[in-house]
Amino acid sequence: MKFLFPQQFCTRPRCLISVSIPLFRNLYYQVSSPLNPTQLNHLIDNAARFKNLKHATQIHTQIITINYASLPFLLNNLFLLYAKCGSIDRGLLLFSTTRDDSRNVVTWTTIITQLSHFKMPFLALNCFNRMRCTGVYPNQFTFSAVLPACADALVVAHGEQMHGLIWKHGFESDTFVASALLDMYAKCSDVSMAEKVFGEMPDRSIVTWNSMIVGFLKNKLYDRAIGIFREVLGETLVDPDQVSFSSVLSACANAARVDFGKQVHGNIIKRGSITVVYVKNSLVDMYAKCRLFDDAMKMFYNTGDRDVVTWNVMIMGCVHNDNFEAACSYFQAMRREGLAPDEVSYSSALHASANLATLIQGTSIHAQILKTGFMKNACILSSMITMYGKCGNLLDAYWVFEETEDHNVVSWTAMITVYQQHGCANEAIELFEKMLKHGIVPEYITFVSVLSACSHTGQVEVGFKYFDSMTKIHNIKPGPEHYACMVDLLARNGRLNEAKKFTESMPIKPDSSIWGALLGACGKYGNVEMGREVAERLFELEPDNPGNYALLSNIYTRHGMVEKADGVRQLMGINRVRKETGCSWIEFRNQTFVFTVNDKSHSRTDEIYEVLKKLKELVKKRGYVAEIQFATNSVEGSEEQSLWCHSEKLALAFGLLVLPSGSSIRIKKNLRTCGDCHTVMKFASEILGREIIVRDINRFHRFTNGLCSCRDYW
């Protein structure tokens, strides 16, 4: 290995070198009179305090020059110095050039610890095996260092082998080793073994108890995490610390155990831990996730000094409560206070913008991300793909995906989902196949998107192939969303009886999403009897959902069963269920304009209706025939006129009135767009040569040249 010496060593043989570390500011040394090992060790300690990589390389050079490279204690501290300076690569290079006889158990343990810390678990395990091959025996510190690597590798077999070695070397009773062991089992989802290790421990510190609480938390066993915390409170030799409080508050948040969360809050005040920012943040998070937003706000504003985590918790709390406008407001307020957003801040703000479908807000955040250098962050880029997709910008979403250097399963899934939402089902399936070829293992949500894509293209065989592969190949247990996609896949193809049999044979109890998919297909294919039966099941599951009543009422209406349709509407009245008012909105010059059916509140109402009148004439010349079955609650004989007062048509007319010629028109709707509006949009896109993008509650419809991206299959 060739080392580069400082320039002064090359040009002046007896030059004095100034060591720019405060403690040794006045210390000078000559090549002929080098520092001794103790002095060099002091230099390493001070360089570590300032995390100065330049000083580290200078000290390393001196150690090599004066032939101290074989001293283990200097090498160990030099490894630590490089790690603290964030240069694990230089530490590895140093380690690889060190002779075996200069490495002791401390040397090996140091490098294993740093590899675990830098999330290089397989390298850490490899070093552990090499250490044993050289005849160096691990100690309790080595096992405590390598077990986190087993946990990060998520290969429980490695951890089990370590467990055997721990017993062989007699360290099973060491508190720190046992804590690391149960933490490893918990992270590898082997909770029973974690509990066994915990039960066999002769002494338990708060670290041990915390490992158990966190283990249950990570495996979503929230009630058991709360139970362990209760046991901690009953112990006389240990007191809960900030990790205990934070973890149990997270369990309360996820289990919606706000009553116990309030008791924990009282305990925190009693023990004087309320001043710890880490604990305060957890309290804000707990109250927000339990939908006690006022309490969350009180905690937030009483926090005092708020760090970026505090703001992130508040932003995510707003997102969790579907208060997306407030999330964006908190994000902007954080920036005004001079705090630099991190990846969580940006991802949460992008998520809020996506749900608001505010493209201007999303592009503004994109610009900030470019300025702050986060464009290589996979988490942020995935959120950005979703944001552009939900704002109707398919091309920009794909551009961000293509610009992403290191794709992970989240970014692949985000792009597949965007394709699926935009009706590009074939592209979604192709991208899924490409992801598999790249060796990326799909996740639960990935299959939801790809099965939905199969459903919207009628690819029954392909859909069942992917569905079967979940358990047979990828070891993913299908959930309600996947079963809903499969029912929808069969039902959309008119195979209603098969869909019903599939529903009744499922290993899980069908939920509202599954029965809802079947009811929608009953409406499409006119199966009145099955529609009535399915609707009755839905009325039991979600009696307050007006959509189910509306679907059944429409089925009856379209088959001339007016009395039964009236009966459904009367049932809504008895159950005090109100149908959500349909509305559509469109953005223009940083303003959002909202339209409802028969809306005449806009200042340019006369012009809007005049544009509608002209559009109606144009589409009729092209063969448009009103689909009056979608004219609900209208007087007989006025069905066609009522159709032309639907909110999305009014939004379209406003867009044609104010937006530049040739530009895209983007409309959002809070309900599913009706078939008549869908037809009009297709005609309008062809006649006017405009791209019209309608985002309804289910998906995007991109109308161009008289065609829709959903291929009339939505």
Side-chain angles (χ1 to χ4, degrees):
M1 176 182 175
K2 183 178 178 181
F3 288 90
L4 298 177
F5 290 9
Q7 187 177 0
Q8 52 265 50
F9 279 99
C10 302
T11 57
R12 296 173 61 188
R14 294 178 58 82
C15 174
L16 298 177
I17 301 175
S18 173
V19 183
S20 56
I21 301 176
L23 185 60
F24 293 90
R25 189 178 301 279
N26 299 319
L27 178 62
Y28 294 85
Y29 58 90
Q30 295 179 335
V31 174
S32 59
S33 181
L35 296 172
N36 62 43
T38 303
Q39 290 172 316
L40 285 168
N41 201 42
H42 282 312
L43 285 173
I44 291 172
D45 290 341
N46 280 274
R49 193 185 346 148
F50 291 96
K51 299 179 181 179
N52 192 312
L53 185 59
K54 180 180 178 181
H55 294 160
T57 54
Q58 289 176 340
I59 296 165
H60 188 175
T61 299
Q62 287 305 299
I63 290 172
I64 296 293
T65 303
I66 55 186
N67 202 27
Y68 285 153
S70 61
L71 296 177
F73 82 98
L74 280 180
L75 286 174
N76 296 341
N77 285 343
L78 199 53
F79 292 143
L80 288 171
L81 173 56
Y82 277 131
K84 288 180 179 179
C85 293
S87 183
I88 187 66
D89 291 339
R90 296 196 187 205
L92 285 171
L93 186 61
L94 168 62
F95 184 80
S96 66
T97 56
T98 304
R99 299 195 313 269
D100 284 346
D101 57 3
S102 298
R103 300 169 179 165
N104 58 19
V105 66
V106 179
T107 312
W108 284 101
T109 300
T110 302
I111 196 68
I112 290 168
T113 301
Q114 297 310 318
L115 289 169
S116 293
H117 178 74
F118 279 87
K119 302 300 179 184
M120 299 178 177
F122 293 105
L123 276 176
L125 291 167
N126 184 45
C127 274
F128 181 85
N129 289 331
R130 285 172 56 198
M131 177 192 73
R132 295 182 65 234
C133 290
T134 60
V136 178
Y137 290 102
N139 60 20
Q140 67 269 38
F141 303 106
T142 317
F143 284 118
S144 295
V146 77
L147 283 168
C150 297
D152 289 334
L154 294 176
V155 182
V156 73
H158 294 326
E160 289 170 342
Q161 290 172 359
M162 290 298 167
H163 196 169
L165 286 172
I166 288 166
W167 274 92
K168 180 180 178 181
H169 290 279
F171 294 119
E172 69 279 359
S173 61
D174 183 272
T175 302
F176 290 101
V177 173
S179 297
L181 192 60
L182 73 87
D183 181 66
M184 178 277 299
Y185 278 123
K187 286 180 178 176
C188 292
S189 300
D190 194 342
V191 179
S192 60
M193 277 304 298
E195 288 183 287
K196 184 178 179 182
V197 172
F198 181 76
E200 292 174 351
M201 291 178 66
D203 299 306
R204 297 168 182 163
S205 67
I206 189 59
V207 175
T208 312
W209 287 97
N210 287 344
S211 296
M212 208 65 220
I213 295 170
V214 172
F216 282 131
L217 182 63
K218 288 184 179 295
N219 286 279
K220 300 182 179 180
L221 300 170
Y222 306 121
D223 288 330
R224 296 176 75 178
I226 292 169
I228 291 289
F229 180 81
R230 287 182 185 273
E231 290 185 45
V232 172
L233 294 179
E235 290 287 318
T236 56
L237 299 177
V238 293
D239 288 315
D241 61 7
Q242 62 180 25
V243 176
S244 318
F245 286 127
S246 179
S247 300
V248 75
L249 285 170
S250 182
C252 291
N254 286 286
R257 295 282 300 276
V258 69
D259 290 339
F260 188 73
K262 287 181 177 180
Q263 293 177 33
V264 174
H265 188 173
N267 204 287
I268 288 167
I269 295 172
K270 180 181 176 181
R271 295 175 186 267
S273 298
I274 194 65
T275 57
V276 181
V277 175
Y278 188 57
V279 174
K280 283 185 177 180
N281 293 343
S282 299
L283 279 168
V284 174
D285 181 61
M286 186 273 294
Y287 282 122
K289 285 183 177 176
C290 290
R291 299 193 178 278
L292 295 180
F293 203 67
D294 289 340
D295 293 303
M297 287 177 64
K298 287 177 185 176
M299 283 300 305
F300 176 78
Y301 287 111
N302 292 330
T303 297
D305 293 331
R306 294 186 284 264
D307 60 8
V308 67
V309 178
T310 313
W311 285 95
N312 287 345
V313 167
M314 200 61 193
I315 294 167
M316 289 188 292
C318 294
V319 170
H320 183 79
N321 286 280
D322 296 334
N323 196 344
F324 305 115
E325 290 183 358
C328 293
S329 297
Y330 277 110
F331 175 76
Q332 298 300 342
M334 178 183 71
R335 294 185 67 244
R336 285 195 298 270
E337 287 203 2
L339 279 173
D342 62 9
E343 65 175 84
V344 177
S345 317
Y346 284 124
S347 293
S348 301
L350 286 168
H351 183 76
S353 300
N355 282 278
L356 289 171
T358 52
L359 184 60
I360 295 173
Q361 174 80 19
T363 52
S364 172
I365 296 170
H366 187 172
Q368 294 168 33
I369 291 167
L370 284 168
K371 289 179 182 178
T372 50
F374 276 100
M375 277 305 290
K376 290 187 178 180
N377 185 286
C379 179
I380 289 175
L381 290 173
S382 299
S383 298
M384 199 179 293
I385 292 167
T386 301
M387 181 275 294
Y388 277 119
K390 286 192 173 182
C391 289
N393 258 20
L394 178 61
L395 292 178
D396 283 337
Y398 185 71
W399 174 80
V400 174
F401 177 78
E402 283 291 288
E403 290 294 309
T404 305
E405 294 179 2
D406 297 319
H407 287 296
N408 57 16
V409 66
V410 180
S411 59
W412 283 97
T413 300
M415 194 64 227
I416 291 168
T417 303
V418 169
Y419 271 139
Q420 181 267 321
Q421 288 173 339
H422 281 259
C424 304
N426 289 328
E427 288 83 352
I429 294 169
E430 288 172 12
L431 194 63
F432 178 72
E433 288 290 345
K434 188 176 179 181
M435 182 188 83
L436 294 177
K437 288 178 182 177
H438 277 76
I440 304 295
V441 179
E443 292 183 336
Y444 185 98
I445 191 65
T446 317
F447 278 104
V448 174
S449 295
V450 77
L451 290 175
S452 181
C454 292
S455 172
H456 285 86
T457 49
Q459 300 186 50
V460 177
E461 289 74 19
V462 176
F464 271 97
K465 182 188 79 171
Y466 290 144
F467 182 77
D468 292 338
S469 74
M470 288 179 65
T471 50
K472 293 179 180 178
I473 299 175
H474 302 290
N475 198 29
I476 298 174
K477 185 179 179 181
E481 300 93 338
H482 305 109
Y483 285 108
C485 288
M486 299 311 293
V487 171
D488 192 51
L489 174 61
L490 290 168
R492 281 178 182 273
N493 274 268
R495 296 156 69 166
L496 297 179
N497 290 327
E498 289 180 60
K500 191 167 182 290
K501 287 180 182 177
F502 181 86
T503 301
E504 292 169 345
S505 65
M506 292 188 323
I508 64 172
K509 187 177 180 180
D511 65 4
S512 57
S513 64
I514 295 169
W515 290 117
L518 190 54
L519 180 60
C522 289
K524 180 179 179 180
Y525 289 101
N527 193 322
V528 178
E529 186 55 34
M530 188 183 293
R532 180 194 58 77
E533 183 183 338
V534 172
E536 286 176 355
R537 291 179 183 268
L538 282 166
F539 295 159
E540 293 176 5
L541 289 171
E542 41 181 25
D544 298 327
N545 186 343
N548 299 325
Y549 296 91
L551 277 171
L552 181 60
S553 176
N554 291 342
I555 291 173
Y556 285 143
T557 301
R558 289 170 196 172
H559 287 80
M561 304 166 75
V562 180
E563 290 183 5
K564 288 192 175 183
D566 290 339
V568 174
R569 286 192 284 271
Q570 288 173 8
L571 182 62
M572 288 180 69
I574 293 169
N575 293 337
R576 296 182 179 180
V577 178
R578 289 188 176 183
K579 183 181 177 183
E580 185 178 0
T581 302
C583 65
S584 300
W585 59 98
I586 186 170
E587 292 178 7
F588 174 62
R589 291 182 179 174
N590 294 336
Q591 281 187 278
T592 301
F593 296 88
V594 182
F595 297 90
T596 57
V597 64
N598 296 311
D599 200 328
K600 294 184 179 179
S601 61
H602 197 277
S603 59
R604 302 182 68 175
T605 292
D606 291 341
E607 295 174 86
I608 291 169
Y609 278 91
E610 186 61 31
V611 170
L612 270 183
K613 182 180 177 182
K614 292 179 181 178
L615 181 61
K616 183 178 178 181
E617 293 172 357
L618 290 171
V619 298
K620 280 199 167 186
K621 288 180 181 178
R622 290 294 183 95
Y624 161 77
V625 177
E627 300 175 56
I628 59 173
Q629 67 268 30
F630 296 106
T632 56
N633 300 326
S634 58
V635 179
E636 187 175 350
S638 64
E639 293 91 349
E640 182 175 347
Q641 183 56 38
S642 70
L643 287 172
W644 280 91
C645 295
H646 280 191
S647 62
E648 52 262 63
K649 290 191 181 84
L650 293 171
L652 172 63
F654 178 72
L656 292 171
L657 186 64
V658 300
L659 293 173
S661 177
S663 64
S664 298
I665 300 174
R666 303 175 190 277
I667 301 167
K668 293 97 177 179
K669 183 175 172 64
N670 67 329
L671 302 175
R672 185 179 184 271
T673 190
C674 83
D676 186 76
C677 289
H678 192 270
T679 301
V680 169
M681 297 291 175
K682 287 197 296 181
F683 277 115
S685 69
E686 181 181 21
I687 296 167
L688 305 174
R690 302 282 285 265
E691 179 187 52
I692 303 169
I693 301 166
V694 178
R695 173 189 170 181
D696 69 10
I697 195 171
N698 293 326
R699 61 186 302 105
F700 279 92
H701 298 270
R702 183 182 298 273
F703 301 94
T704 52
N705 301 318
L707 299 172
C708 180
S709 58
C710 76
R711 300 175 179 86
D712 299 340
Y713 198 80
W714 89 99

